Amino acid sequence: MKLTDLNIQVRQRSAWEAIDLGFALVQQHWKALMPPYFLLLLLIALCVWLILPEAYLPIAGLVVWWLKPLFDRLLLYMLSRQLFNETPHAADAFSALPQLIWQTGLFSALTYRRLSLSRSYILPIWQLEGLRGKPLKERKAVMYLQGHSHALWLTMGCIHLEFIVVLSLYALILMFDPTGATWEHIKNLFRGDVDIDSQYWRMLLDFTFYLLAILVIEPFYVAAGFMLYINRRTQLEAWDIELAFRNLGERLTQLAKTGASTLPSLVLLLVFASSYFSSTPAFAQYTESEHEFLAEERLPPEQAATTIKAVMALDEFNNLTKVKTWVAKDKQETERSNHKLSEGVIQLIASLLKSLLWIAAVVAVILALVYRQKILSYLAPFRKQTKPITAPEILFGLDIRPESLPADIAGTARQLWQAGQAREALSLLYRGALVILTHEEQLAIHTGHTEGDILKLAKPSTEVERYHYLRTLTKLWQTIAYAHRSPAPQEIEPLLAGWNQFQAPRLAAQTAEGQA
Amino acid sequence: MNATLPTPSLSLDQASRLAEQIHTEIAKALIGQQTVIRETLIALLAGGHVLIEGVPGLGKTLLVRALAKTIAGQFARIQFTPDLMPADISGHVLFDMHNQRFDVRKGPVFTHLLLADEINRAPAKTQSALLEVMQEQQVTIEGTAYPVPLPFMTLATQNPLEQEGTYPLPEAQLDRFLLKIYIGYPSLEEEIAMVNAVTRQQVGDRFQLELLNAIVTPEAISAMQQVTAQIEVDQAVVDYAARITQATRKGQGLRFGAGPRGSIALVRAARAHALVEGRNFVHPDDIKQVALPVLRHRVSLAPEMELEGYNTDYVLNSVLEKTEAPRQ
């Protein structure tokens, strides 16, 4: 790509003018720019929607937001080519996608650099220049000297524009919704009081609105950042002057080519012009005025030096400003200690650390994949209505706090049974079972659950033998609680005998606690 | 195989076993509608009436015919139309010229099982003709009350799709139905079994009801109803049923909740449920199991919930979740 192919006028602009140029670039090329970008965004949004469990729909927007650096790369690919008068198709963009993913620093952009506020400004260095390591650092340092603050403001502005788009879409819906449900939903969003189970479609609408906002705003953001970058390069490398010289060179070359045929006339013209200028007062005046800039008297070097010193001693050249800055006290010491290690050792340690970091990153990704269910469960707070499972203290009028139970439940129940207190004996066993289910096995039992509901809840997570025990115990408890009939001794005996086996997990937990 | 028709005095075990046999027998004809059969049986044992809602062709008539055959009872069907008159249902008095006297011609309601097909197609006046017989189990013709044969059960059907030109049942009438049952499409396996059962070596597309056996007599059904009525209900369970009904009146998403008849119906249906389960006492799960069919036609969904696409079952389930289970 040559500078001469640029389809913008290369000149020094202010940063805001450069941002405006970026917006104009999108307006001019949106027809070619949008199809591949829209397709990519749609594909990713669909994948996110299909892969994420229903309950995690509120974080779908977050996932798409996190993947913005990927969309930026595709947009910059299209924009950079359009800037040089190429018109890539959507197919070209998708063909280049693997390269954009693997060779443009996407991994770092999606991880430790994801929260960078100058993303679109720095992206061309990664993607178009392909710089890495020290050159990249140096280039970034130079780029940051000017334009960085504008890039930050650009990012902040675009974030707000996205919100404006989303809120405008809501306002549109509000105008057509006579029920007020949308208004309630918006208020709930701000209150953080959204029930995913009952408002699934509304949450899906939120997601769609956010996608639309990204679809509209992101191209402008990338283009504006790109133009800021081009403007800075123009300043640094004098592209405008280079182009002016090239144009001049081309023009002179053209003249030289045509010069052979017009040489006689040119000679005549020069002769005529020289005679004309020699007799023109204006020219004479110009040469005189040129002399005015020079001193009439040429001083010897020693005297000139004295005069210069006198001039330099004037107040205008001695305006001193005092600037205070923090300097590390042990700076010299640190510098000295740095010299103790040779450059090779430092490089070795750096590469070792870099390799370790990469290995750690790969291991982290693998672990994240393996333990994705667990990680998703940590994201559970995003389910607004989901409340942490807190074991109730009283259920069916029974005190089911662990501390309310005796140490030997089966023994105490047997004593109660032998003392003719069948109801108390069964109540104790049932309470014990509820304590195990709620505290040890984290079963989410609510006050609205009946005994049958608890059996249904416990079935999937309880082994067959323990489930049979629980079912028998529930049946006997229901009989004594609601029919006021005591069970036969042969019915209660297996329950008393099998209690220890049923509470095995509880005992194991207590043992573990004791050891800890 | 002809089963021995049992005598009317029954124990709980006998009644429960008979209920199971009736269920099995009807399931031979109505394939894949276990819940519908079970809920119909509960209504029969509790001495109530059912409103069945479902699209045409799912076997509503077959269910009633099969039930009539199984209990060896009489069966009558009334197709409700906009021009159906109350006298067409209850009967009328006709002057006999020959004998110079008024003769009573009893209507189709004088039967054990009455199928009121597409009940919402007739105007409210005609629908109300069923009120007396459903509530009092008698019909008054020209000032004289005529009892209908017992057990008496009305099974009314509604089509949820074609609402054009229909007369929605008034709340007073809806309250008379013990249960409202939804009948849905069968699964693939059930439909295959149904096709095999109906098309095997026969002409036409109707299930051969002759293949079903009479399990009990109408008298035995009355005896089973007596057994059901004697099933114990703890005060805590009654309290639970009443609290659920009360909660429907306060619950969000409902225009109005169920009346006290809802609590009564809950306990009646829960008793029958306990009998079907073979238990001689009712526990809270029985109440919960029957709560949806008992209450869904006694409450009215708020318009905004209807607009949001929710149904009464959703709101009732949330009411059940929020109502505390009995304390013992």
Side-chain angles (χ1 to χ4, degrees), chain A residues 84-96:
Chain A
F84 285 92
N85 273 329
E86 285 181 30
T87 313
H89 295 288
D92 299 330
F94 276 96
S95 309

Side-chain angles (χ1 to χ4, degrees), chain A residues 36-66:
Chain A
Y37 169 52
F38 174 70
L39 271 177
L40 182 69
L41 183 63
L42 187 71
L43 267 171
I44 285 178
L46 279 175
C47 287
V48 169
W49 179 49
L50 293 172
I51 290 170
L52 275 183
E54 253 184 36
Y56 293 96
L57 188 60
I59 64 164
L62 182 74
V63 175
V64 174
W65 171 82
W66 201 268

Side-chain angles (χ1 to χ4, degrees), chain B residues 81-94:
Chain B
T81 54
D83 58 351
L84 189 77
M85 299 303 288
D88 297 333
I89 296 171
S90 54
H92 53 271
V93 174
L94 194 71

Side-chain angles (χ1 to χ4, degrees), chain A residues 119-194:
Chain A
R119 197 174 72 239
S120 66
Y121 182 48
I122 293 305
L123 179 61
I125 306 177
W126 286 86
Q127 186 172 332
L128 303 179
E129 294 187 44
L131 296 181
R132 298 291 182 274
K134 203 176 171 188
L136 172 75
K137 204 175 167 187
E138 285 170 0
R139 167 71 81 193
K140 274 161 78 173
V142 174
M143 296 295 282
Y144 280 158
L145 284 176
Q146 279 185 28
H148 186 228
S149 63
H150 299 92
L152 299 186
W153 282 114
L154 172 68
T155 308
M156 296 306 291
C158 286
I159 289 170
H160 285 84
L161 282 174
E162 279 182 1
F163 282 117
I164 288 169
V165 171
V166 171
L167 291 175
S168 307
L169 289 168
Y170 269 123
L172 187 70
I173 298 283
L174 271 178
M175 285 165 67
F176 293 99
D177 180 14
T179 64
T182 308
W183 179 239
E184 280 303 314
H185 177 66
I186 294 169
K187 283 198 288 185
N188 287 343
L189 276 180
F190 281 97
R191 282 200 295 255
D193 182 24
V194 180

Side-chain angles (χ1 to χ4, degrees), chain A residues 179 181 195 197-199 202 395-398 423 446-453 456 475 477-479 481-485, chain B residues 232-237 240 279-285 288-289 304 307-308 310 314 320-328:
Chain A
T179 64
D195 180 9
D197 297 329
S198 62
Q199 301 196 343
R202 289 196 177 284
L395 212 58
F396 315 121
L398 305 173
R423 189 188 169 95
H446 305 302
T447 50
H449 284 145
T450 57
E451 290 90 344
D453 292 332
K456 274 185 212 160
K475 191 180 162 193
W477 163 249
Q478 284 177 324
T479 309
Y482 301 111
H484 308 286
R485 278 200 299 272
Chain B
E232 286 177 43
V233 187
D234 189 78
Q235 202 49 45
V237 179
Y240 181 50
R279 246 182 299 109
N280 60 356
F281 66 97
V282 175
H283 59 56
D285 283 302
K288 222 170 186 178
Q289 290 291 318
E304 61 268 22
L307 280 171
E308 292 265 340
Y310 294 107
Y314 178 86
L320 287 174
E321 265 180 36
K322 286 171 191 162
T323 308
E324 285 186 14
R327 307 277 175 249
Q328 276 292 338

Side-chain angles (χ1 to χ4, degrees), chain B residues 26 45 50 58 62 105 208 281:
Chain B
I26 299 173
L45 292 172
V50 293
L58 291 178
L62 179 64
R105 293 209 171 174
Q208 290 180 331
F281 66 97

